[in-house]
Amino acid sequence: MPQTIDIHIFNPETDYALAAGNNAYNPPARIIRLRQELAFLPSAYAADNDWIMTFDSVPPTSEEGTRYRDTALERGIMTVNIGSLKEEMDRRPSSSFRITPWGWNNSLRIALEKAGIDEKYLKSQEEITTLRFLSHRRTCIDFQKRFRTLFPNLDIHVAQEIFTPEEAIGFLSSNGKAYFKLPWSSSGRGILYVEGEADGKTLEWIAGGIRRQGSVMAEHAFHRRLDFATEWVCTDGETFFSGLSVFHTSPDGRYAGNVTAPQNELNEMVSEASGEWSGRIIDAQKTILQSMIAPRYSGPVGIDMLATADGHINPCVEINLRMTMGMVALARQKRNL
């Protein structure tokens, strides 16, 4: 059997690139800086014989980014720039390669095609189109409805997809406060928290989101006690549970870091935050993933959840069909990084 080498790519812009559809996506400067600083983040979960591909030759300057780069060097993980990737692959004809980015999108496919990478290593256009469809936040609505059927006694507030600013005003009037979210975004960006009446800036943000991405999601706003997630892998139609992750968010919902701790401690944290927590929730999530996602997608999946201040659980805040920082935390715990 030929040696299989995973070629890891940290492309944090992947959700926004999915929003761009078939077009190439040019990340803003702040995302390019993040991509440069954390280019070696895959060293936390890559195997020793894997590679890390970078887009840029700019070395990291942050303490975190430097630590990941040093980890790659210590473990002997090969790093290669996109411009020389094909040449390095061609030098190893007896090896089997698999490209595993943070997330797939058409912009990445275009970049790798331009770099001369054989199409057999890339997700097909059809696969990326399906991934884009499933990654839309409306998938959470279907997930929440299915979950409510399995758990009729769990108080689940189903999100709403809105297509006009007037619908947003109606949702806000009915609920008093809300989160409005772009269909494709990540790490708490593309999210707007609104309490009370919608002012001009709010309506402008909502109208702009609808104009660019076709709709905006409206969700009930809860007082959070804990943000957490379940991490999964879908492979060849099967769904496998990887573990729990617990993370911090800012008051406006932006990601602010993961808790690195053993699974029993994370499970205890979730149990203390909500008496509703049980393994049956994980079982229900697996059942839904098995029918909704696994037949159409292979790769990592993260389901973000929350426990409210009064102890209720929202079993699906969003679904990430890509690598997540929760999965990185799981890998770091296993490697004691």
Side-chain angles (χ1 to χ4, degrees), residues 19-271:
N22 292 329
N23 301 317
Y25 174 74
N26 296 313
R30 60 176 175 80
I31 297 296
I32 293 175
R33 286 195 297 271
L34 177 64
R35 192 172 70 187
Q36 292 169 345
E37 284 300 320
L38 297 183
F40 301 97
L41 181 148
S43 65
Y45 52 86
D48 290 341
N49 66 314
D50 287 348
W51 297 1
I52 295 175
M53 190 211 84
T54 63
F55 291 96
D56 313 289
S57 57
V58 179
T61 58
S62 68
E63 181 180 347
E64 183 181 21
T66 301
R67 185 172 68 249
Y68 286 126
R69 181 201 61 189
D70 292 346
T71 297
L73 291 171
E74 290 167 4
R75 296 182 57 205
I77 296 172
M78 179 173 165
T79 60
V80 57
N81 188 269
I82 189 171
S84 56
L85 178 60
K86 182 181 185 302
E87 179 184 353
E88 293 294 344
M89 293 172 72
D90 289 345
R91 288 175 57 190
R92 294 163 176 79
S94 62
S95 295
S96 174
F97 295 99
R98 182 169 52 207
I99 296 179
T100 54
W102 190 258
W104 276 102
N105 58 74
N106 201 55
S107 189
L108 175 63
R109 177 184 166 86
I110 291 170
L112 291 170
E113 283 179 332
K114 287 182 177 179
I117 305 305
D118 195 303
E119 207 170 86
K120 68 182 180 182
Y121 298 117
L122 311 179
K123 288 277 190 185
S124 69
Q125 187 66 64
E126 182 181 0
E127 287 175 309
I128 292 175
T129 298
T130 298
L131 172 60
R132 182 176 188 270
F133 173 80
L134 292 173
S135 296
H136 193 291
R137 277 196 166 104
R138 72 166 65 95
T139 298
C140 288
I141 295 177
D142 191 10
F143 193 102
Q144 289 166 346
K145 289 178 178 177
R146 295 186 189 208
F147 201 99
R148 192 162 59 180
T149 300
L150 295 174
F151 272 79
N153 295 327
L154 203 63
D155 186 21
I156 299 175
H157 293 267
V158 177
Q160 180 179 327
E161 186 172 9
I162 61 175
F163 300 91
T164 66
E166 290 73 24
E167 288 181 82
I169 293 172
F171 187 92
L172 192 56
S173 298
S174 299
N175 296 280
K177 54 186 177 180
Y179 283 105
F180 294 103
K181 300 182 178 182
L182 297 179
W184 293 280
S185 64
S186 64
S187 300
R189 298 186 183 277
I191 296 177
L192 180 67
Y193 172 73
V194 183
E195 188 169 353
E197 294 185 3
D199 59 17
K201 286 187 177 180
T202 296
L203 295 176
E204 182 180 345
W205 188 96
I206 291 169
I210 293 170
R211 183 176 62 254
R212 293 190 303 274
Q213 296 196 14
S215 63
V216 168
M217 313 308 293
E219 297 180 4
H220 293 73
F222 300 97
H223 290 295
R224 286 170 150 83
R225 179 177 294 177
L226 189 71
D227 289 283
F228 62 105
T230 49
E231 311 295 347
W232 307 81
V233 175
C234 292
T235 304
D236 298 327
E238 296 295 326
T239 304
F240 302 93
F241 178 61
S242 299
L244 275 176
S245 65
V246 174
F247 57 97
H248 305 293
T249 57
S250 64
D252 61 353
R254 296 193 180 212
Y255 171 78
N258 265 82
V259 177
T260 302
Q263 284 293 291
N264 63 320
E265 292 183 18
L266 298 181
N267 190 73
E268 187 175 337
M269 290 175 65
V270 179
S271 297

